């Protein structure tokens, strides 16, 4: 991570043709996030925070039979988080993620290690966001599109790309850790969560993720191709600090 983004473009897996093709069909969010996070600390100016118009969910989730958690986790009437939840952390690949299987989630861990089923609560939405991105950065990009993404035309394109054998993983992922969060909005049906991430060289980035409550779990609402809620930040002053390592 000592090289500047300009000098490392040719070796960056996120700029290789295979990934560019897949990203054009799906979303460039993961690639854009990696570029931001790999910037050395203090390089460049912070970008303005994404507006609610650009990060708000595209529409309501499809109703489930009961709208209850698919794995029986308790729902909450809370609509915000003013402080960081006390969390136990585990590693997904190289990234620490929060876990509380009996309250916030994940309530399910697949045989392949993919974590899913989070509580219908602000904490559940936060935990879901952290785990979804850790999965994306650590070898589970295809499973995220297939299993942890909300129904949408963009998801349909991603699934089609996977079926056609296109690589949606982006190659080597950045070595980053969660450093803080903001919950911009929350209802039992939709949430917008922004995570702050710290890279191994001390640089910071942040990205906003929209979630929809669908089939008893939080699912990522993938933005249309070219959508980008990523920004570089200089510090954590606007975030609630929250980290596992």
């Amino acid at each position: 991570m000592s090289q500047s983004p300009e000098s490392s473009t040719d070796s960056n897996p996120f700029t290789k043709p295979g990934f560019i093709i897949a990203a054009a069909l799906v979303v460039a969010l993961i690639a854009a996030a990696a570029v931001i996070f790999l910037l050395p600390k203090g390089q460049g100016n912070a970008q303005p925070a994404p507006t609610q118009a650009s990060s708000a969910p595209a529409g309501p989730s499809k109703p489930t039979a009961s709208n209850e958690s698919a794995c029986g986790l308790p729902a909450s009437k809370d609509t915000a988080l003013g402080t960081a939840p006390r969390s136990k952390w585990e590693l997904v690949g190289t990234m620490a993620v929060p876990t509380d299987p009996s309250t916030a989630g994940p309530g399910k861990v697949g045989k392949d290690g993919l974590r899913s089923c989070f509580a219908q609560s602000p904490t559940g939405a936060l935990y879901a966001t952290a785990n979804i991105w850790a999965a994306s950065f650590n070898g589970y990009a295809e499973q995220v599109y297939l299993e942890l993404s909300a129904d949408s035309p963009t998801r349909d394109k991603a699934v089609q790309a996977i079926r056609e054998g296109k690589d949606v993983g982006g190659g080597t992922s950045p070595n980053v850790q969660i450093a803080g969060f903001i919950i911009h909005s929350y209802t039992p049906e939709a949430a917008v969560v922004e995570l702050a991430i710290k890279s191994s060289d001390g640089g910071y980035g942040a990205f906003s993720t929209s979630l929809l409550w669908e089939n008893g779990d939080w699912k990522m609402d993938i933005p249309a191709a070219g959508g980008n809620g990523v920004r570089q930040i200089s510090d954590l002053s606007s975030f609630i600090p929250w980290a596992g390592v």
Side-chain angles (χ1 to χ4, degrees):
M1 292 192 182
S2 60
Q3 290 180 302
S4 68
E6 291 82 1
S7 63
S8 60
T9 299
D10 292 340
S11 61
N12 187 344
F14 298 102
T15 64
K16 292 183 179 179
F19 179 73
I20 292 173
I21 293 172
L25 292 172
V26 188
V27 61
L29 187 55
I30 295 176
V35 172
I36 293 291
F37 303 151
L38 291 172
L39 287 173
K41 185 176 182 180
Q43 180 171 331
N45 296 322
Q47 299 298 313
T51 63
Q52 289 298 307
S54 64
S55 61
S61 60
K62 291 185 177 180
T64 61
S66 64
N67 208 36
E68 295 179 353
S69 166
C71 58
L73 293 180
S76 169
K77 294 183 179 180
D78 295 337
T79 59
L81 274 178
T83 59
R86 296 182 63 180
S87 305
K88 176 183 177 182
W89 298 80
E90 297 178 348
L91 288 177
V92 171
T94 61
M95 190 170 179
V97 295
T99 178
D100 190 344
S102 63
T103 57
K108 295 181 180 179
V109 180
K111 292 182 180 179
D112 60 357
L114 186 69
R115 298 167 178 232
S116 63
C117 198
F118 295 87
Q120 193 174 24
S121 67
T123 302
L126 175 62
Y127 277 37
T129 302
N131 278 268
I132 285 171
W133 280 103
S136 298
F137 287 150
N138 288 278
Y140 294 93
E142 288 191 4
Q143 291 95 321
V144 168
Y145 291 127
L146 293 171
E147 302 179 40
L148 304 182
S149 298
D151 287 340
S152 69
T154 308
R155 178 188 180 275
D156 292 342
K157 292 179 181 180
V159 172
Q160 183 61 34
I162 291 169
R163 289 173 178 170
E164 293 173 357
K166 293 184 172 68
D167 177 19
V168 298
T172 303
S173 294
N175 183 9
V176 297
Q177 298 294 339
I178 296 169
F181 73 91
I182 305 171
I183 296 183
H184 288 290
S185 64
Y186 176 86
T187 71
E189 293 77 34
V192 178
V193 179
E194 188 172 15
L195 290 180
I197 302 292
K198 185 176 182 179
S199 67
S200 59
D201 69 353
Y204 290 106
F207 53 90
S208 186
T209 303
S210 294
L211 301 173
L212 298 178
W213 184 257
E214 183 178 285
N215 299 323
D217 196 6
W218 290 110
K219 302 295 179 71
M220 180 170 65
D221 187 22
I222 307 174
N228 188 349
V230 181
R231 60 191 179 110
Q232 186 182 6
I233 57 176
S234 58
D235 56 45
L236 300 175
S237 58
S238 61
F239 290 82
I240 297 174
W242 186 57
V245 293

